[in-house]
Amino acid sequence: AQRVTQPEKLLSVFKGAPVELKCNYSYSGSPELFWYVQYSRQRLQLLLRHISRESIKGFTADLNKGETSFHLKKPFAQEEDSAMYYCALSGDAGNMLTFGGGTRLMVKP
Amino acid sequence: DVKVTQSSRYLVKRTGEKVFLECVQDMDHENMFWYRQDPGLGLRLIYFSYDVKMKEKGDIPEGYSVSREKKERFSLILESASTNQTSMYLCASRRPGHTYEQYFGPGTRLTVT
């Protein structure tokens, strides 16, 4: 079975502060990890994925297989980063995508 | 531009009614998905479809069924709506393969009274 845990339901930071949204997973095979984001009144969309190893809107995420984590980081938060963030796992054994419970990020001015 | 559309943004139904939620994608994707989104629970998979006329149960299929008669359309059916099915429903589509991203529709907020 595959499982994704996001321990923080809400994360509140000031503009310019560093941000780390935590994501832990359990999966016995070779997973593909994603971060999806939902801005207010917009549809859920992909932010970044492990396989691409890229930085999107200043966010990065590194897969740590030893700690089974895929934390999302940004060195300097912006107000426009305020949104709901979901970590998701896709296992190599099938087509299902398992989502974590989500973390709401609020960036205060 | 990638497009997934859902038939309604808001829907209010009475307990016991049969409810149809429609999803259409224009990307020729084989895989389509139905999720419900609830605060604190994230997205939970109800059903998904590998291809036309093919379906598999997700994590919470009870009380739901699906139909995929055409590649572009995936319907979610609530046979007899109940108040605990009040939720936001999201449809998504994707190319086959677990490394590909899912493209989501805008969602349908269903209220069952």
Side-chain angles (χ1 to χ4, degrees):
Chain A
Q2 52 196 60
R3 185 182 177 94
V4 177
T5 303
Q6 293 178 250
E8 304 135 329
K9 285 188 167 52
L10 173 65
L11 188 62
S12 183
V13 301
F14 285 102
K15 177 181 172 182
V19 169
E20 183 180 50
L21 288 83
K22 291 184 167 51
C23 172
N24 291 93
Y25 68 90
S26 64
Y27 183 68
S28 56
S30 180
E32 182 60 34
L33 277 297
F34 303 82
W35 277 98
Y36 283 81
V37 61
Q38 190 168 30
Y39 301 103
S40 180
R41 295 190 177 85
Q42 293 187 30
R43 64 183 66 197
L44 194 63
Q45 58 187 290
L46 179 69
L47 179 63
L48 57 79
R49 55 184 143 183
H50 154 245
I51 198 171
S52 300
R53 299 185 185 280
E54 56 192 346
S55 173
I56 304 292
K57 298 185 179 183
F59 284 98
T60 59
D62 291 316
L63 179 61
N64 185 324
K65 290 188 176 181
E67 295 183 0
T68 58
S69 67
F70 189 58
H71 303 327
L72 184 68
K73 300 177 184 178
K74 184 170 183 176
F76 307 103
Q78 303 298 315
E79 290 181 68
E80 56 266 29
D81 296 328
S82 295
M84 195 73 183
Y85 291 80
Y86 293 96
C87 181
L89 178 153
S90 184
D92 56 354
N95 285 302
M96 287 177 60
L97 191 65
T98 299
F99 285 84
T103 298
R104 180 167 297 282
L105 175 64
M106 291 179 57
V107 182
K108 297 176 286 189
Chain B
D1 191 23
V2 163
K3 215 48 180 288
V4 179
T5 57
Q6 295 183 228
S7 51
S8 306
R9 290 302 303 271
Y10 301 94
L11 210 52
V12 180
K13 295 291 182 181
R14 293 193 182 277
T15 301
E17 278 194 86
K18 190 168 186 175
V19 182
F20 292 87
L21 303 182
E22 305 284 342
C23 176
V24 177
Q25 51 96 2
D26 65 358
M27 296 162 284
D28 203 36
H29 286 167
E30 285 83 356
N31 296 169
M32 294 188 75
F33 306 81
W34 274 107
Y35 297 90
R36 60 178 285 175
Q37 182 182 30
D38 299 290
L41 298 177
L43 275 73
R44 291 178 293 167
L45 182 65
I46 304 171
Y47 267 97
F48 65 102
S49 171
Y50 289 105
D51 209 331
V52 177
K53 295 190 187 296
M54 299 176 74
K55 61 186 179 186
E56 286 229 7
K57 293 179 180 178
D59 297 319
I60 51 164
E62 296 79 18
Y64 304 94
S65 62
V66 290
S67 174
R68 183 109 181 261
E69 295 298 316
K70 293 185 177 181
K71 191 174 188 179
E72 67 270 20
R73 188 180 298 269
F74 191 34
S75 303
L76 180 69
I77 304 154
L78 286 67
E79 296 291 341
S80 177
S82 63
T83 55
N84 63 13
Q85 292 178 309
T86 292
S87 186
M88 173 68 86
Y89 289 87
L90 298 182
C91 174
S93 74
R94 187 189 70 180
R95 291 168 60 188
H98 76 291
T99 62
Y100 294 108
E101 73 174 281
Q102 291 193 7
Y103 294 89
F104 284 86
T108 296
R109 182 163 294 284
L110 172 67
T111 302
V112 182
T113 61

